Amino acid sequence: MSLDTAPRLDADGLLDDPQTRIVVCCGAGGVGKTTTAAALGVRAAERGRRVVVLTIDPAKRLAQSMGIDALDNSPRRVDGVEGPGELYAMMLDMKRTFDEIVEAHADGERARAILENPFYQSLSAGFAGTQEYMAMEKLGQLRARDSWDLIIVDTPPSRSALDFLDAPKRLGSFLDGRFIRLLTAPAKAGGRAGMKFLNVGMSMMTGTLGKLLGASLLRDVQTFVAAMDTLFGGFRTRAEATYRLLQAPGTAFLVVATPERDALREAAYFVERLEADRMPLAGLVLNRVHESEAAHLSAQRALAAAEALDERGMDDAGSGAKGAGTAGTNGTAGTGTEGAADAAALLRLHAERMQVLAHERRTRDRFAALHPEVPVTQVTALPGDVHDLAGLRDVAERLTAQEAPGA
């Protein structure tokens, strides 16, 4: 099977459907997820929906393209939308989101103790998986407010796994882990006898851990766990609720890739993983696809024509040299030779481009053969970078073009 016969992804139909409330753009790093999410946001807003785009990308490209000085953890309205809808954008602040959760679910004194705890500060700023989990938290918060018709999520870059989906499970494993249970056991034990028994074991364990981690760090961890104990269940519950939300009708996943072997290999993995987790896949956005207005001229024919021009140029150069020896020069000698050389160079450039197109087509067709059921839309490569709303509109126009993917 080739991409010519693959089902077409109707992106406009997806964005226009009032039942579509969440669109998640996922894929490997560097394939254009952030630009795709922003372009979809502009498109949906200009077609009448109230949209918020949540990006996890710390780069400033999205803010700049939307005419905003900087994005933060609160939705900011984007000016310049040409249509009846509204567009907002925000960038996940991992630590601030974690702080907001603590402030919302702990009383003032306990919240302050948690926020000031050194272990918490380290955890909230860079613990493995925190970014993905906080992205899930923020998505849950946005959906719960019901202030937007559509939420578009630009997931964190991931090379070989959907960490965004794994975050709730990893959090649950962390909270239910033996280390955490041991640290929270004294606080949960009832009565002096229980405390006395546990304290014997705890003193042995903490003595060993104190040597490994340092007494100060261990004390920070224990204080953190004791303060956070009442919040752990809430973390898990909200994470599981957001996970179910991602599986529910009204959510659509778009896998973004470029027509390169590694990117499409990752896209195939994402498709299979989404299917295994029963996540609703809308389709594949194939980004930065190259085209040619002279596709009828093959690379082989272009190279043959370039060689013929080279031979003619050499013949003309020889004839010109003989003529110059008998008739002198008149200022026009070599003009035909130079023109032939320029044409030959252009033909060789075209041949190189056609070879790129052929490689991309083989790669795309390989994906289509593996996943013939996945709807696809192609976004032709732009001549330059996207740096404003006009550029995002251009991307959206290409993304929602009505031609079949292989046309």
Side-chain angles (χ1 to χ4, degrees), residues 284-355:
L284 171 72
V285 175
L286 200 54
N287 207 8
R288 302 173 192 154
V289 177
H290 292 91
E291 291 185 344
S292 173
E293 295 295 331
H296 59 280
L297 179 60
S298 68
Q300 293 81 0
R301 289 175 57 198
L303 289 173
E307 290 176 4
L309 284 172
D310 286 341
E311 292 175 1
R312 183 183 303 173
M314 287 189 290
D315 291 342
D316 290 346
S319 300
K322 292 178 181 179
T326 58
T329 59
N330 58 8
T332 60
T335 302
T337 304
E338 293 172 0
D342 290 342
L346 288 173
L347 284 166
R348 287 193 171 87
L349 285 174
H350 175 75
E352 290 177 5
R353 187 173 186 84
M354 293 306 296
Q355 289 168 349

Side-chain angles (χ1 to χ4, degrees), residues 199-400:
N199 281 339
V200 174
M202 282 297 294
S203 63
M204 294 174 61
M205 184 194 76
T206 55
T208 302
L209 289 175
K211 294 177 182 178
L212 294 174
L213 303 177
S216 178
L217 175 59
L218 181 59
R219 190 162 49 251
D220 290 339
V221 173
Q222 289 177 308
T223 303
F224 164 76
V225 170
M228 288 286 288
D229 185 42
T230 57
L231 299 183
F232 282 165
F235 276 112
R236 188 184 298 105
T237 299
R238 289 191 303 277
E240 291 172 351
T242 304
Y243 192 85
R244 290 193 298 271
L245 179 65
L246 292 174
Q247 293 176 316
T251 297
F253 280 81
L254 290 175
V255 177
V256 184
T258 52
E260 299 167 0
R261 184 180 61 182
D262 290 344
L264 279 172
R265 184 186 296 121
E266 291 299 319
Y269 170 82
F270 277 47
V271 167
E272 292 161 7
R273 173 65 194 279
L274 288 168
E275 181 180 10
D277 284 12
R278 300 192 301 278
M279 298 290 171
L281 174 66
L284 171 72
V285 175
L286 200 54
N287 207 8
R288 302 173 192 154
V289 177
H290 292 91
E291 291 185 344
S292 173
E293 295 295 331
H296 59 280
L297 179 60
S298 68
Q300 293 81 0
R301 289 175 57 198
L303 289 173
E307 290 176 4
L309 284 172
D310 286 341
E311 292 175 1
R312 183 183 303 173
M314 287 189 290
D315 291 342
D316 290 346
S319 300
K322 292 178 181 179
T326 58
T329 59
N330 58 8
T332 60
T335 302
T337 304
E338 293 172 0
D342 290 342
L346 288 173
L347 284 166
R348 287 193 171 87
L349 285 174
H350 175 75
E352 290 177 5
R353 187 173 186 84
M354 293 306 296
Q355 289 168 349
V356 170
L357 266 63
H359 172 73
E360 288 185 357
R361 177 171 287 277
R362 288 192 299 271
T363 306
R364 287 148 39 198
D365 288 350
R366 191 177 301 119
F367 175 89
L370 290 172
H371 298 283
E373 77 289 352
V374 176
V376 181
T377 187
Q378 297 188 155
V379 183
T380 54
L382 293 170
D385 293 333
V386 175
H387 54 79
D388 55 19
L389 283 179
L392 292 175
R393 286 192 194 96
D394 193 0
V395 172
E397 288 288 344
R398 295 166 188 247
L399 196 156
T400 56

Side-chain angles (χ1 to χ4, degrees), residues 133 136 163-173 239-240 243:
Y133 175 77
M136 295 279 279
D163 293 336
F164 185 71
L165 299 179
D166 290 330
K169 295 178 182 177
R170 285 204 307 275
L171 178 76
S173 298
E240 291 172 351
Y243 192 85

Side-chain angles (χ1 to χ4, degrees), residues 45-291:
E46 295 190 339
R47 294 172 72 87
R49 305 200 72 181
R50 194 167 192 261
V51 187
V52 60
V53 177
L54 168 62
T55 183
I56 290 85
D57 187 351
K60 297 181 179 180
R61 292 170 298 147
L62 178 60
Q64 293 170 347
S65 66
M66 291 185 169
I68 299 173
D69 293 335
L71 294 176
D72 54 27
N73 215 38
S74 300
R76 294 195 177 192
R77 183 164 182 168
V78 178
D79 296 325
V81 171
E82 299 175 355
E86 298 178 24
L87 178 61
Y88 294 78
M90 61 184 299
M91 185 180 75
L92 178 72
D93 184 329
M94 180 175 64
K95 186 178 187 312
R96 183 60 206 146
T97 300
F98 211 149
D99 292 349
E100 289 173 353
I101 296 167
V102 172
E103 292 166 352
H105 297 279
D107 58 48
E109 185 175 345
R110 176 164 293 191
R112 185 167 54 256
I114 294 171
L115 296 175
E116 293 176 355
N117 183 275
F119 182 74
Y120 167 79
Q121 293 172 2
S122 177
L123 174 72
S124 61
F127 189 75
T130 304
Q131 183 184 54
E132 290 79 13
Y133 175 77
M134 288 306 146
M136 295 279 279
E137 278 277 356
K138 183 56 68 175
L139 172 59
Q141 291 174 10
L142 292 172
R143 186 65 184 87
R145 293 176 197 167
D146 204 27
S147 299
W148 291 275
D149 299 333
L150 179 64
I151 303 167
I152 300 178
V153 183
D154 164 36
T155 59
S158 176
R159 191 187 68 81
S160 61
L162 285 170
D163 293 336
F164 185 71
L165 299 179
D166 290 330
K169 295 178 182 177
R170 285 204 307 275
L171 178 76
S173 298
F174 170 71
L175 299 180
D176 292 331
R178 186 179 179 184
F179 179 65
I180 295 298
R181 291 202 309 271
L182 285 170
L183 290 177
T184 56
K188 294 179 179 179
R192 291 185 178 180
M195 282 298 296
K196 183 177 180 181
F197 173 77
L198 282 169
N199 281 339
V200 174
M202 282 297 294
S203 63
M204 294 174 61
M205 184 194 76
T206 55
T208 302
L209 289 175
K211 294 177 182 178
L212 294 174
L213 303 177
S216 178
L217 175 59
L218 181 59
R219 190 162 49 251
D220 290 339
V221 173
Q222 289 177 308
T223 303
F224 164 76
V225 170
M228 288 286 288
D229 185 42
T230 57
L231 299 183
F232 282 165
F235 276 112
R236 188 184 298 105
T237 299
R238 289 191 303 277
E240 291 172 351
T242 304
Y243 192 85
R244 290 193 298 271
L245 179 65
L246 292 174
Q247 293 176 316
T251 297
F253 280 81
L254 290 175
V255 177
V256 184
T258 52
E260 299 167 0
R261 184 180 61 182
D262 290 344
L264 279 172
R265 184 186 296 121
E266 291 299 319
Y269 170 82
F270 277 47
V271 167
E272 292 161 7
R273 173 65 194 279
L274 288 168
E275 181 180 10
D277 284 12
R278 300 192 301 278
M279 298 290 171
L281 174 66
L284 171 72
V285 175
L286 200 54
N287 207 8
R288 302 173 192 154
V289 177
H290 292 91
E291 291 185 344

